[in-house]
Amino acid sequence: MTRKILIVDDDQKTRTLLKAYLEKNQYEVRLAHNGESFLAEFQRYVDELSMVILDVMLPDTDGFALCKIVRQRSNIPIIMLTASSDETDRVVGLELGADDYIGKPYSPRELLARIKAIHRRMGTESNAPPRFYRFNGFTLDAVERTVVNAESEIVPLTGLDFQLLKYFVEHPGDILDRGILCEETRGRDSGPLDRSLDVQISRLRLRLNDDGKQPFIIKTVRGAGYVFSADVSVSNV
C-alpha cells in the first residue's frame, strides 16, 4: 500500500512536527509551505499519494481552492485543517470534496487517528501490528520475541521482561501505572507491598544500559507509575 502523504501548511514548526511524527508511524511525507509549492508537489506525486492534508489559511491561496483542484484530478482522501470555529468553513470544505476536517489546535496523534480511520474505510490501512520497534539503538522484534542492540547482539531478557518492554514501546510517552503494567505482564494487579515490578524495571533498565539513578529510557513518575521516554519508530521491515 502507498503510504505517501502530502501536507501543505505555512507554519514551518507545524510542518516539521507532523513530518517527524507521521514518519515514525511508517508514512512517507512530502511538505509544501504554500499553494504554489503544493501544486508542484501534487503534480509530481499525484499517482503515488494516499492522502493530502490542506491548511485552509495559506499566504497565496486557500485550502478550499486547492481542494477543488485536487478533486478535479484525483479521488484521493483530503483532510482540511482549519483554525476557524465557523461551521461554514467546514461545510464548504466537505462540499468541495474533503473527506474530513480537524480544527486547530490539534495533536499529531489525533491527526494520525483520522488518517488511519479514512484509510481503513477505504480498505487501504493494514490492521496488522508492526513487527519492529526501534529506540536508542535497540530493535525489538515482536515476532521473534528478541531484542538486539546497536552491535546486533541479542539482549538477554526473560519472557516477562520482554512482555514488559513490548508494552512500553507500544505506549511511548504514556504514563503507565503499576496496576496496568502488572496486569499486562502477570495477568494480575499488584498489591501495595509487591515490589516485583520494581525489581523487573531495575533489571530491564540494566539490560538497556539505562542509568538506574537518572534513567533516560524508563523514567519513574512519582506517585503515578512509569513512562517510556525514548523515541520509538515502528516498521514491518
Side-chain angles (χ1 to χ4, degrees):
M1 182 198 75
T2 299
R3 296 170 63 91
K4 183 178 290 185
I5 297 175
L6 175 56
I7 301 174
V8 58
D9 194 299
D10 62 344
D11 184 77
Q12 182 177 357
K13 184 177 180 180
T14 298
R15 293 196 306 271
T16 301
L17 176 65
L18 293 181
K19 179 177 173 67
Y21 189 82
L22 292 176
E23 286 182 344
K24 279 176 56 178
N25 287 275
Q26 299 179 260
Y27 290 91
E28 182 179 348
V29 180
R30 303 295 303 180
L31 297 175
H33 64 279
N34 60 16
E36 182 180 2
S37 60
F38 170 84
L39 291 175
E41 291 288 290
F42 178 72
Q43 179 70 25
R44 180 178 181 182
Y45 295 105
V46 60
D47 294 328
E48 302 175 32
L49 295 172
S50 67
M51 181 174 293
V52 296
I53 299 173
L54 308 175
D55 188 9
V56 170
M57 299 298 293
L58 295 169
D60 58 345
T61 184
D62 60 55
F64 302 129
L66 296 180
C67 180
K68 187 175 181 179
I69 293 172
V70 169
R71 195 48 77 227
Q72 289 172 345
R73 290 283 313 276
S74 173
N75 288 320
I76 62 175
I78 300 170
I79 294 179
M80 307 285 291
L81 307 176
T82 175
S84 173
S85 59
D86 188 350
E87 181 182 349
T88 302
D89 281 359
R90 299 193 292 270
V91 172
V92 169
L94 294 172
E95 288 180 343
L96 287 173
D99 296 270
D100 201 355
Y101 67 87
I102 298 180
K104 296 182 178 181
Y106 61 91
S107 69
R109 181 177 294 185
E110 179 187 4
L111 178 60
L112 176 63
R114 301 290 187 97
I115 291 170
K116 288 184 174 182
I118 290 175
H119 281 159
R120 280 196 300 272
R121 292 200 297 269
M122 296 179 63
T124 56
E125 181 72 20
S126 171
N127 289 319
R131 173 175 178 175
F132 298 105
Y133 299 80
R134 296 181 173 89
F135 62 95
N136 283 69
F138 294 93
T139 300
L140 182 148
D141 184 335
V143 174
E144 296 292 332
R145 293 183 65 82
T146 59
V147 176
V148 298
N149 60 23
E151 288 72 42
S152 298
E153 299 168 335
I154 293 180
V155 178
L157 295 177
T158 68
L160 284 180
D161 288 352
F162 179 88
Q163 190 64 26
L164 177 61
L165 179 58
K166 183 173 181 289
Y167 193 74
F168 271 129
V169 299
E170 289 173 339
H171 301 85
D174 294 345
I175 297 176
L176 305 173
D177 66 41
R178 297 171 58 85
I180 290 175
L181 294 174
C182 286
E183 182 70 28
E184 288 296 324
T185 57
R186 295 175 172 81
R188 59 175 174 80
D189 201 347
S190 61
L193 301 179
D194 187 350
R195 312 311 299 173
S196 58
L197 179 63
D198 303 287
V199 173
Q200 191 178 1
I201 293 286
S202 296
R203 187 169 59 233
L204 194 53
R205 283 172 173 161
L206 181 64
R207 297 300 189 192
L208 299 177
N209 303 318
D210 198 11
D211 188 338
K213 294 183 178 180
Q214 291 185 316
F216 57 91
I217 296 179
I218 303 173
K219 294 183 178 180
T220 301
V221 182
R222 189 174 298 276
Y226 297 93
V227 60
F228 196 83
S229 60
D231 290 332
V232 178
S233 63
V234 298
S235 73
N236 285 306
V237 293

